[in-house]
Amino acid sequence: MTYQRSSALFTEAQRYIPGGVNSPVRAFKSVGGVPVFMKSANGAYLTDEDDRTYVDYINSWGPAILGHTHPAVLEAIQKQAEKGFSFGTPTELETEIAKFIVENVPNIDQIRMVSSGTEACMSSIRLARGYTRRDKIIKFEGCYHGHSDSFLIKAGSGAATFGNPNSPGVTQGTAKDTLLARYNDIEQVQDLFRHNTGEIAAVIIEPVAGNMGCVLPEHHFLQKLRELCDENGALLIFDEVMTGFRLAFGGAQELFGVQADLVTYGKVIGGGLPVGAFAGRNEIMDHLAPKGAVYQAGTLSGNPLAMRAGLETLKLIKEDANFFQKINKTTETLDFEIGKILNEKGIQHRINRKGSMMSVFFHISAVSDFDQAQQANHSLFNNFFHQLLKNGIYLPPSGYETWFISAAITETEMDKTLDAVRKFEYS
Ligand code: KE4
């Protein structure tokens, strides 16, 4: 399979853009080969610059939960664009989407819009530190909360993919305030609280991790984190950039019945345009400027185009009473059928799945933390990735990423996917 046009475009891109990409994980560094340049997307499909189409299991890393260019969202964006792109003033539309979210997501009174998941997570940590007047945070190895300095310590996603989970440029002064625990290890969290009494502002977690591959919280882990935060006067932050409006409309808070103090959003909330957000109860959010002293700002925060794309996407999800049941059923079927084929081939693997998030680890035992995710056979995954790519299936180009299933995936796309898995040959 030659990717002639992508190869030529990648060579040119590397002349002007570091590594030829505007986000490292797109560069295929982990899986090897030339990153495929896409020129369009529609429904469940991507089309590359060599006019090949692929069933898409990235969906822009989560935003395209409806499938690409949903007609109703497209029309809404077009109409909004005719009124202007961004004003830098308050607009009614920002209140409309904020009200819609606050009224449909548990345990939040206010929400602040930003332009990325990184901004949302970075701002939530600053707010937690300002509110508690404490400096330290606890994050979990393999979790990724965007690329702000406090989080690039044993981070997941692209940082894990390239084996530089501790990025150069993050100062010791910053790193010392980020404490690390193993995902699903409540005893380690207890120890950290015991050895840093009164110093921990917050625990931040992906309630279902998607950046070390898909890794699920074990029995009551999230509830026990809630109890530890309450006992120690720390805030619990759910990073729902991936899980928000994907696991349920109320996200992981609704699904697991555990209340976080702050929740961060991204991806689906913007419907494919740049939106992030963070939300919480009045007593915490009132500390944010201009009402409170904790400063946070953004030129394009809440801009009308992105708000319209997000609001229309969220309304379409909310209006479909069976939306989550359908995409979860699709994901369950893919899990079961892919597993059956890999078993028939005698390939040791584990598939972790929650809702419409799943990933395949080529590993003999369960994967419930970053160490176990790292022990999986990633070269076999890379082989699997390229063989599926050759057969028209586009998976996330790293074993440290979750697949995102969209509502546009039907029997047809599942059959194409299973045919490609059946053709997978491994040495
Ligand atoms: P962004 O700044 O990339 O919008 O969001 C950062 C972020 C925060 N929290 C979670 C749980 C996330 O998954 C992300 C971003 N996810 C990656 C995919 N693993 C984005 C892809 C990329 O880096 O290009």
Side-chain angles (χ1 to χ4, degrees), residues 23-26 61 115-119 121 144-147 157-158 206 210-211 239-242 264 267 400-401 404:
S23 197
V25 74
R26 302 175 191 168
W61 301 96
S115 297
S116 71
T118 293
E119 266 195 278
C121 294
Y144 179 72
H145 306 291
H147 62 87
S157 184
E206 292 180 54
N211 288 291
D239 175 354
E240 294 222 48
V241 167
M242 272 189 181
T264 64
K267 299 180 192 284
Y400 293 107
E401 298 288 353
F404 295 99

Side-chain angles (χ1 to χ4, degrees), residues 24-26 28-31 61 139-147 151-168 206 209-215 242 361 369-376 378 382 397-402:
V25 74
R26 302 175 191 168
F28 277 24
K29 276 267 189 276
S30 162
V31 292
W61 301 96
K139 79 171 285 289
F140 294 87
E141 292 169 359
C143 283
Y144 179 72
H145 306 291
H147 62 87
F151 300 132
L152 288 182
I153 318 286
K154 274 253 181 177
S157 184
T161 297
F162 308 128
N164 60 348
N166 306 303
S167 170
E206 292 180 54
N211 288 291
M212 49 178 136
C214 183
V215 170
M242 272 189 181
F361 293 100
D369 65 31
F370 188 43
D371 285 348
Q372 290 160 351
Q374 288 181 298
Q375 289 159 18
H378 288 272
N382 297 344
S398 163
Y400 293 107
E401 298 288 353
T402 187

Side-chain angles (χ1 to χ4, degrees), residues 180-345:
L180 286 173
R182 187 180 73 83
Y183 201 86
N184 279 314
D185 188 336
I186 198 67
E187 286 77 25
Q188 237 186 6
V189 180
Q190 266 168 333
D191 282 347
L192 288 172
F193 272 116
R194 202 173 294 131
H195 293 101
N196 298 275
T197 307
E199 296 181 76
I200 295 171
V203 175
I204 185 167
I205 188 165
E206 292 180 54
V208 171
N211 288 291
M212 49 178 136
C214 183
V215 170
L216 280 57
E218 286 169 344
H219 205 48
H220 295 316
F221 178 61
L222 298 175
Q223 183 53 41
K224 288 172 187 165
L225 283 180
R226 174 72 273 165
E227 290 160 8
L228 276 177
C229 286
D230 290 341
E231 288 162 20
N232 291 278
L235 298 189
L236 178 58
I237 302 175
F238 274 5
D239 175 354
E240 294 222 48
V241 167
M242 272 189 181
T243 58
F245 310 108
R246 175 171 284 279
L247 292 186
F249 200 81
Q253 287 194 107
E254 176 186 321
L255 190 72
F256 294 106
V258 175
Q259 294 198 337
D261 297 300
L262 288 172
V263 188
T264 64
Y265 296 106
K267 299 180 192 284
V268 172
I269 197 175
L273 269 64
V275 180
F278 57 109
R281 299 187 305 276
N282 288 327
E283 61 176 309
I284 301 171
M285 297 299 283
D286 283 349
H287 286 254
L288 263 183
K291 188 163 186 178
V294 178
Y295 196 70
Q296 184 278 330
T299 301
L300 295 174
S301 298
N303 80 79
L305 264 190
M307 292 297 97
R308 179 59 68 194
L311 182 57
E312 292 309 311
T313 298
L314 297 183
K315 281 182 172 176
L316 285 165
I317 296 170
K318 185 68 185 167
E319 283 159 12
D320 180 349
N322 300 318
F323 182 82
F324 294 105
Q325 184 197 344
K326 284 185 288 191
I327 57 174
N328 293 354
K329 183 63 186 159
T330 300
T331 314
E332 180 188 19
T333 305
L334 284 166
D335 173 355
F336 180 74
E337 295 299 334
I338 290 172
K340 215 162 69 174
I341 296 166
L342 293 177
N343 283 334
E344 286 160 4
K345 289 175 178 284

